[in-house]
């Protein structure tokens, strides 16, 4: 682009559309692979970009953290690095399925055949309040096609918003977590995990969401405070020798009881450990055992172990080698068949519970306990934390299912230590966020459950042989890597025909899909085309930066470190930038569930992208930011700064070269001779040093603060002080010094602000430069001045402020001339007396040597007549 003439009235409006289109046309942000290869890996800066859930809606927190990531990207690009900055869409998983159900009014029934002519009952409808029974059942293939269709449309809207925000990603490097390359990467990694023994299938107690009918991993849990009640229930000692009383919030699980457990140091129950008791109502003999997790001060001090009421039951069951007596089905209802040991009259009692929900079963069993005399007193109301699936609205249950797992260090101390070591190799910003990662690794209670009983996702790539009786047998059948991606639910197993599916001596395909994190944990491999483009992968991996929110350290960050360690034996990236939360004026975290989220589109429309980016850049990584939509102060300040950059740049660049100089561009650093100008540039050099050091440490807020503070001094004081000289009021040499200093300083400020205010700075840069400011070199100290600041500019600024204040106190116009002023100040001030006299409208200026600045006398002339 050729340098443009100065606009009559620069404005922020319309800059996003204007420059977004130009950047795309010119490929400003595209990864230049050939240049990167020539420069070498050390000159590449690769970012592992968070792929947002395309079926969701972007909220203010996304804008906050993605802006933080973009600040680092833009800075590194200006530092001469070749940016590999892709964008991904996390389009598979439960959120997408729920959105498709609500949007089209359908639900998936895998038993139904594919309908090539199917038309959904709604197109863009809102059926969130509808029940599953009201939604039209369709085949799995039809359902997946609708998921594909809707995610593509959602992704377009997301991309538009990201472009408006000014994210400098390379849109030619976009990927989808449901796309074929992503499926190949996820399935390839799984097969390698399986071959190394890191992936396995097992029957085990599984956290289960009864609404979504799917298993839930530890990382997806959320505790919610719920009302409950302690019920004091009697268990009977043999031969009528008395009772032991327990307190439980889940009396409906008494049929699933397998033991009573007390702490080994609890003297009250030591005589009973090793004996047995009989369960109330059902008369099942269960042992009394000891375990360190029993809480002596909770309830009666002895607890009922059921299979399964909570995760502690699972620990007791596993470590004490207790029997299995499950009574809950995957639908959250009591199973029809009673567990082993419940017979005769007890079986008839159990039949009263069969088929009931947990809530109804609890109500009935409390009635039965009261009738039998085994309920002691009235239930005692409490409030206690209950585990939920983070996207669910009913408490989780624990059922026994066969699921796929990947080792994560919970049962392997050596792997856990390696993961902790990898965490120490990553530079966390801020550093204290590393503790969250380490706490998560240390607190894992089981391997990573990766299988999900859903439909839209990456299929688990295995089949199972059937024996002559049609039962599963032997090891799973797996594809070769060159056959990926595969869908075992619709493709025959290698060596079999489709007609053999489900037949004796045939096969069945795995119908479960991978947890969405099992794909998202491979974003560095997917974006870098692992095993598909070795040259690219070697160039970008390990990446330089992972930027993300603090709430997904336990999920995305940890799982990515795990997969990189298992597959590559290294960290996936060198730096992890962790953004804080957005909180409302009451300091409550903003979230969709709380209903206090502000939509990004409205923010961008109301304030402009540069203003929104300024707001995000004002907060350090790891620090929560308060946002009040009724009074968005920071965005207003950011908008004011962006406008000031436009206006100040136009004013500075309106000064013409002095007589005898053909162009301002011909004025070099040698033209800057005046002490005030040199002092300003020396101070600016220190600002550049501080801002650069801050950005090297991923402290964008500090970099913005030091640049902004001096920019306002530059515009409010320095510019006012030297403008008369820049117009030629003090001769050619003084004019040349002022004009050269102003132009140099403005170029530096524009580059300092470019990462934060990309649209305003690009507009300004285009007036006098070819090319984009965003690929211009980042300013250095040597670009400005190597001299140390003398303190002259602050002195002159203080004097000017004092003179302005005197005029204000006298209630006269600032244009009122000063006939005489005496300043007690360091004599250094005399070097800029001419500039101060010009801007202060001073006839006589006396400077008395002193250590600090003070106006000792001032005489004002007559105020000019008002027009």
């Amino acid at each position: 682009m050729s340098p443009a003439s100065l606009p009559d009235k620069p404005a922020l409006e319309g800059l996003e559309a204007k420059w977004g289109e130009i950047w795309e046309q010119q490929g400003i942000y595209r990864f230049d692979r050939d240049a990167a290869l020539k420069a070498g890996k050390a000159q590449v800066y690769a970012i592992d970009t968070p792929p947002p859930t395309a079926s969701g809606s972007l909220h203010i927190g996304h804008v906050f953290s993605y802006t933080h990531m973009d600040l680092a990207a833009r800075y590194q690009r200006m530092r001469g690095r070749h940016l590999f900055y892709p964008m991904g869409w996390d389009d598979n998983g439960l959120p997408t399925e729920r959105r498709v159900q609500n949007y089209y009014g359908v639900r998936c029934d895998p038993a139904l055949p594919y309908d090539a002519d199917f038309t959904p009952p709604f197109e863009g409808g809102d059926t969130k309040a509808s029940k599953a029974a009201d939604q039209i059942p369709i085949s799995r293939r039809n359902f997946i096609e609708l998921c594909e269709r809707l995610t593509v449309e959602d992704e377009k809207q997301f991309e538009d918003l990201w472009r408006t925000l000014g994210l400098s990603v390379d849109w030619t490097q976009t990927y989808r977590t449901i796309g074929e390359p992503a499926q190949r990467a996820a399935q390839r990694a799984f097969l390698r995990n399986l071959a190394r023994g890191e992936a396995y299938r097992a029957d085990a107690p599984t956290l289960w969401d009864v609404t979504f009918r799917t298993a839930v991993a530890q990382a997806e849990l959320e505790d919610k405070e719920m009302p409950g009640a302690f019920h004091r229930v009697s268990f009977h000692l043999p031969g009528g020798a008395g009772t032991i009383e327990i307190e439980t919030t889940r009396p409906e699980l008494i049929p699933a009881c397998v033991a009573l457990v007390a702490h080994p140091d609890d003297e009250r129950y030591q005589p009973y450990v090793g004996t047995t008791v009989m369960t109330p109502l059902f008369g099942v003999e269960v042992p009394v055992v000891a375990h360190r997790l029993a809480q002596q001060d909770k309830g009666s001090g002895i607890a009922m172990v059921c299979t399964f009421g909570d995760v502690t039951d699972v620990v007791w069951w596993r470590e004490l080698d207790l029997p299995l007596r499950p009574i809950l089905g995957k639908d959250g209802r009591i199973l029809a068949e009673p567990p082993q040991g419940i017979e005769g009259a007890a079986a008839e009692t159990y039949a009263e519970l069969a088929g009931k929900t947990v809530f109804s079963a609890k109500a009935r069993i409390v009635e039965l306990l009261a009738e039998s005399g085994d309920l002691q007193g009235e239930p005692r109301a409490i409030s206690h934390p209950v585990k939920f699936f983070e996207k669910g609205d009913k408490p989780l249950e624990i059922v026994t299912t066969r699921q796929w797992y990947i080792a994560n260090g919970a049962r392997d101390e050596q792997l856990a230590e390696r993961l902790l070591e990898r965490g120490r190799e990553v530079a966390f910003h801020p550093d204290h966020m590393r503790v969250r990662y380490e706490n998560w690794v240390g607190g894992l209670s089981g391997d990573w459950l990766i299988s999900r009983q859903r439909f839209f996702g990456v299929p688990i790539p295995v089949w199972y042989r059937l024996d002559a009786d049609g039962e599963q047998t032997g090891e799973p059948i797996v594809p070769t890597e060159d056959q990926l991606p595969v869908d075992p639910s619709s493709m025959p197993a290698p060596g079999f025909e489709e007609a053999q599916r489900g037949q004796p001596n045939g096969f069945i395909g795995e119908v479960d899909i991978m947890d969405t994190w099992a794909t998202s944990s491979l974003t560095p491999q997917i974006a870098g085309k692992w095993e598909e483009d070795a040259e690219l992968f070697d160039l970008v991996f390990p990446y330089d930066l992972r930027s993300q929110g603090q709430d997904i350290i336990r999920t995305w960050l940890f799982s990515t470190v795990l997969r990189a360690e298992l597959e590559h034996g290294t960290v996936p990236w060198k730096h992890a930038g962790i953004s804080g939360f957005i909180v409302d004026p009451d300091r409550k975290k903003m979230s969709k569930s709380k209903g206090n989220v502000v939509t990004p589109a409205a923010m961008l429309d109301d304030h402009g992208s540069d203003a929104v980016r300024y707001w995000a850049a004002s907060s350090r990584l790891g620090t929560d930011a308060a946002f009040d939509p009724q009074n968005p102060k920071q965005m207003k300040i950011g908008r004011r700064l962006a406008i000031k950059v436009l206006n100040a740049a136009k004013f500075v660049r309106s000064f013409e070269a002095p007589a005898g100089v053909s162009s301002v561009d011909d004025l070099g650093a040698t033209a800057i001779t005046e002490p005030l100008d040199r002092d300003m540039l020396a101070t600016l050099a220190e600002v550049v040093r501080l801002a650069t050091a801050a950005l090297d440490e991923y402290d964008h807020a500090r970099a913005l603060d030091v640049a902004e503070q001096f920019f306002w001094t530059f515009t409010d004081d320095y510019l006012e002080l030297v403008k008369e000289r820049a117009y030629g009021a003090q001769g050619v040499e003084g004019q040349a010094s002022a004009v050269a200093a102003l132009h140099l300083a403005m170029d530096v400020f524009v580059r300092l602000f470019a990462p934060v205010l990309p649209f305003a700075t690009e507009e300004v840069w285009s007036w006098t430069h070819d090319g984009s400011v965003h690929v211009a070199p980042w300013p250095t100290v040597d670009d400005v001045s190597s001299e140390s600041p003398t303190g002259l500019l602050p002195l002159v600024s203080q004097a000017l402020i004092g003179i302005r204040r005197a005029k204000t106190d006298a209630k006269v116009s600032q244009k009122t001339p000063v006939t005489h002023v005496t300043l007690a100040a360091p004599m250094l001030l005399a070097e800029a007396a001419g500039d101060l006299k010009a801007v202060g409208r001073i006839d006589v200026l006396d400077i008395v040597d002193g250590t600090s600045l003070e106006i000792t006398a001032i005489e004002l002339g007559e105020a000019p007549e008002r027009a």
Side-chain angles (χ1 to χ4, degrees):
M1 170 185 293
S2 299
S5 58
L6 298 180
D8 292 334
K9 189 174 182 181
L12 292 176
E13 285 71 26
L15 294 185
E16 292 90 347
K18 171 185 174 180
W19 287 110
E21 183 177 349
I22 292 173
W23 291 336
E24 181 62 25
Q25 289 174 352
Q26 297 184 352
I28 296 297
Y29 305 128
R30 285 183 200 146
F31 178 59
D32 188 337
R33 179 167 171 166
D34 291 338
L37 285 168
K38 290 179 182 178
K41 182 175 175 60
Q43 287 301 110
V44 173
Y45 190 85
I47 299 177
D48 183 18
T49 316
T53 303
S55 56
S57 57
L58 289 174
H59 56 75
I60 190 171
H62 284 108
V63 169
F64 189 62
S65 62
Y66 280 71
T67 298
H68 291 167
M69 174 175 58
D70 195 59
L71 296 171
R74 289 182 177 277
Y75 169 67
Q76 292 293 341
R77 187 181 289 111
M78 295 179 73
R79 292 282 278 175
R81 305 285 290 277
H82 296 277
L83 263 289
F84 182 72
Y85 188 10
M87 177 58 71
W89 305 118
D90 194 9
D91 37 24
N92 72 76
L94 182 61
T96 297
E97 292 186 24
R98 289 297 302 273
R99 175 151 160 74
V100 166
Q101 290 172 354
N102 295 332
Y103 193 87
Y104 292 114
V106 299
R107 60 184 172 86
C108 183
D109 184 347
L112 293 176
Y114 175 66
D115 180 358
D117 299 320
F118 175 73
T119 301
F122 298 102
E123 185 77 27
D126 180 9
T127 59
K128 289 183 180 180
S130 69
K131 298 179 180 179
D134 299 328
Q135 296 170 340
I136 293 178
I138 60 176
S139 73
R140 178 173 180 160
R141 184 175 167 188
N142 284 123
F143 187 76
I144 289 175
E145 286 179 353
L146 291 179
C147 291
E148 289 273 7
R149 184 198 306 179
L150 190 56
T151 53
V152 168
E153 292 304 313
D154 287 342
E155 287 157 11
K156 290 178 182 177
Q157 296 180 32
F158 274 40
E159 181 177 332
D160 288 344
L161 191 140
W162 283 147
R163 286 180 180 274
T164 301
L165 182 63
L167 293 191
S168 60
V169 302
D170 179 356
W171 292 103
T172 67
Q173 302 289 343
T174 303
Y175 65 88
R176 306 175 71 225
T177 59
I178 199 61
E180 280 200 10
Q183 292 200 37
R184 279 195 299 271
Q187 291 185 339
R188 182 189 306 117
F190 173 84
L191 291 176
R192 294 187 182 185
N193 292 139
L194 184 62
R196 292 191 295 260
E198 298 153 358
Y200 63 91
R201 193 177 186 224
D203 288 322
T206 306
L207 288 161
W208 189 265
D209 189 284
V210 298
T211 303
F212 299 121
R213 305 286 180 90
T214 187
V216 176
Q218 183 182 353
E220 299 171 304
L221 302 183
E222 180 179 291
D223 281 343
K224 294 183 182 180
E225 199 69 19
M226 299 290 291
F230 267 129
H231 302 77
R232 197 171 186 91
V233 179
S234 297
F235 280 65
H236 301 271
L237 295 169
T243 61
I244 293 178
E245 295 180 353
I246 62 102
E247 288 195 2
T248 179
T249 60
R250 303 208 62 180
E252 73 276 12
L253 295 182
I254 289 175
C257 179
V258 293
L260 297 188
V261 61
H263 195 277
D265 298 334
D266 195 332
E267 295 180 356
R268 293 172 296 174
Y269 299 109
Q270 285 176 345
Y272 301 105
V273 173
T275 67
T276 61
V277 293
M278 306 293 286
T279 62
L281 300 179
F282 304 101
V284 177
E285 188 175 11
V286 298
V288 180
V289 295
H291 194 278
R292 65 189 182 284
L293 290 182
Q295 297 175 260
Q296 300 181 58
D297 58 350
K298 184 176 181 180
S300 63
I302 190 167
M304 172 177 73
V305 184
C306 300
T307 52
F308 295 93
D310 58 24
V311 292
T312 307
D313 278 344
V314 176
V315 175
W316 282 329
W317 168 79
R318 183 178 289 122
E319 296 188 4
L320 296 170
D321 195 24
L322 297 171
L324 189 64
R325 291 197 183 102
I327 67 167
L328 283 178
K330 294 179 180 179
D331 58 358
R333 295 178 179 270
I334 306 297
L335 295 171
E337 293 295 321
Q340 185 179 6
I342 296 181
E343 302 169 346
E348 295 178 9
T349 301
Y350 180 88
E352 294 190 45
L353 308 176
K356 291 184 180 295
T357 64
V358 169
F359 179 82
S360 298
K362 179 182 292 185
R364 180 56 184 145
I365 209 164
V366 169
E367 292 175 351
L368 292 170
L369 288 168
E371 292 170 7
S372 69
D374 292 316
L375 181 66
Q376 307 302 315
E378 292 295 319
R380 177 166 54 90
I382 62 166
S383 177
H384 61 144
V386 177
K387 294 197 179 301
F388 281 71
F389 176 33
E390 61 187 0
K391 297 180 177 65
D393 52 13
K394 289 185 179 179
L396 292 173
E397 298 295 349
I398 299 178
V399 299
T400 301
T401 60
R402 174 160 283 197
Q403 303 286 345
W404 279 99
Y405 298 84
I406 290 179
N408 63 3
R411 301 165 188 253
D412 183 339
E413 290 185 8
Q414 290 185 342
L415 175 57
E417 184 52 44
R418 296 204 316 268
L419 292 172
L420 289 171
E421 179 58 33
R422 295 303 180 207
R424 290 188 281 271
E425 292 176 23
V426 174
F428 279 75
H429 305 283
D431 186 68
H432 68 79
M433 286 293 175
R434 186 193 324 277
V435 175
R436 301 194 181 195
Y437 170 84
E438 293 175 342
N439 288 344
W440 179 253
V441 175
L444 289 167
S445 60
D447 283 335
W448 181 12
L449 187 156
I450 66 157
S451 49
R452 292 291 181 273
Q453 293 66 52
R454 303 304 303 171
F455 312 111
F456 188 52
V458 178
I460 295 175
V462 297
W463 296 261
Y464 309 100
R465 288 182 177 83
L466 301 179
D467 61 18
D469 297 322
E471 299 294 328
Q472 288 188 36
T473 183
E475 294 297 316
I477 304 169
V478 298
T480 58
E481 290 189 5
D482 62 345
Q483 293 174 314
L484 302 178
V486 297
D487 182 1
S489 70
S490 61
M491 298 168 62
F496 290 84
E497 300 293 333
E498 182 61 31
Q500 294 175 274
R501 185 184 295 274
Q503 300 300 311
N505 296 316
F507 74 95
I508 59 170
E510 177 63 77
V511 296
D512 286 356
I513 63 171
M514 294 186 199
D515 166 26
T516 184
W517 291 113
T519 307
S520 297
S521 60
L522 295 166
T523 51
Q525 290 85 348
I526 294 168
K529 298 179 172 55
W530 168 55
E531 296 289 9
E532 299 190 4
D533 188 337
E535 183 180 78
L536 176 64
F537 191 69
D538 290 344
L539 195 58
V540 302
F541 187 90
Y543 287 54
D544 291 272
L545 175 65
R546 152 67 64 83
S547 186
Q548 64 165 72
Q550 59 184 299
D551 52 334
I552 51 174
I553 290 175
R554 63 191 173 95
T555 49
W556 192 37
L557 189 147
F558 167 74
S559 61
T560 310
V561 173
L562 171 67
R563 302 306 284 279
E565 171 60 21
L566 294 178
E567 189 59 45
H568 310 287
T570 184
V571 293
W573 6 255
K574 302 166 190 170
H575 299 269
I578 311 298
S579 298
F581 291 129
I582 305 302
V583 295
D584 64 18
D586 297 325
R587 305 301 297 182
K588 294 178 182 177
K589 178 188 173 185
M590 284 192 170
S591 66
K592 286 183 282 188
S593 61
K594 291 186 173 67
N596 58 356
V597 169
V598 178
T599 61
M603 292 165 46
L604 294 169
D605 288 343
D606 292 344
H607 305 287
S609 299
D610 281 351
V612 172
R613 290 175 64 96
Y614 173 91
W615 160 76
S618 299
S619 291
R620 285 181 168 86
L621 289 173
T623 303
D624 294 347
F627 178 68
D628 182 358
Q630 303 305 316
N631 185 24
K633 291 173 60 177
Q634 285 296 100
M635 291 183 191
K636 291 179 179 179
I637 294 171
R639 182 174 177 83
R640 176 171 168 252
L641 175 63
I643 292 172
K644 189 68 173 181
V645 168
L646 291 173
N647 291 333
K650 182 191 175 184
F651 185 58
V652 165
R653 286 165 180 167
S654 67
F655 291 116
E656 298 179 354
V661 179
S662 59
S663 168
V664 172
D665 295 334
D666 293 335
L667 292 172
T670 57
I672 304 172
T673 56
E674 293 293 316
L676 184 61
D677 303 333
R678 294 201 308 270
D679 192 70
M680 180 275 293
L681 292 177
T683 305
L684 182 56
E686 179 64 6
V687 169
V688 169
R689 186 188 69 79
L690 292 173
T692 303
L695 288 171
D696 283 342
E697 294 298 320
Y698 294 84
D699 190 351
H700 48 251
R702 169 65 175 157
L704 173 60
D705 183 55
V706 296
E708 183 183 9
Q709 283 195 32
F710 188 60
F711 177 71
W712 287 113
T713 297
F714 173 81
T715 56
D716 291 352
D717 294 334
Y718 175 77
L719 192 53
E720 289 297 314
L721 286 164
V722 303
K723 66 181 181 181
E724 297 296 333
R725 179 154 51 86
Y727 282 127
Q730 298 180 32
V732 172
E733 185 176 335
Q735 181 184 16
S737 179
V739 171
L742 285 167
H743 277 257
L744 176 56
M746 200 67 225
D747 271 8
V748 170
F749 278 121
V750 169
R751 286 179 285 162
L752 286 174
F753 288 132
V756 180
L757 311 173
F759 296 102
T761 54
E762 188 74 298
E763 175 71 8
V764 167
W765 193 258
S766 72
W767 298 340
T768 51
H769 294 77
D770 290 324
S772 171
V773 69
H774 302 298
V775 292
W778 182 256
T780 67
V781 170
D782 290 341
D783 291 340
V784 187
S785 171
S786 60
E787 297 180 16
S788 299
T790 62
L792 178 58
L793 179 58
L795 278 174
V796 180
S797 297
Q798 289 175 48
L800 181 59
I801 292 170
I803 294 167
R804 287 171 177 163
R805 185 180 297 119
K807 293 180 180 180
T808 300
D809 292 343
K811 298 181 181 180
V812 298
S813 167
Q814 291 297 326
K815 295 181 180 180
T816 301
V818 178
T819 58
H820 188 276
V821 63
T822 302
L823 292 172
M827 290 305 294
L828 176 67
L829 187 62
E831 295 191 50
D835 288 320
L836 182 58
K837 287 179 66 177
V839 73
R841 299 176 180 272
I842 302 170
D843 289 335
V844 178
L845 174 63
D846 291 329
I847 301 175
V848 180
D849 195 13
T851 56
S852 61
L853 187 144
E854 180 185 1
I855 297 178
T856 59
I858 186 169
E859 296 176 17
L860 302 178
E862 301 233 348
E865 293 184 9
R866 295 187 182 273

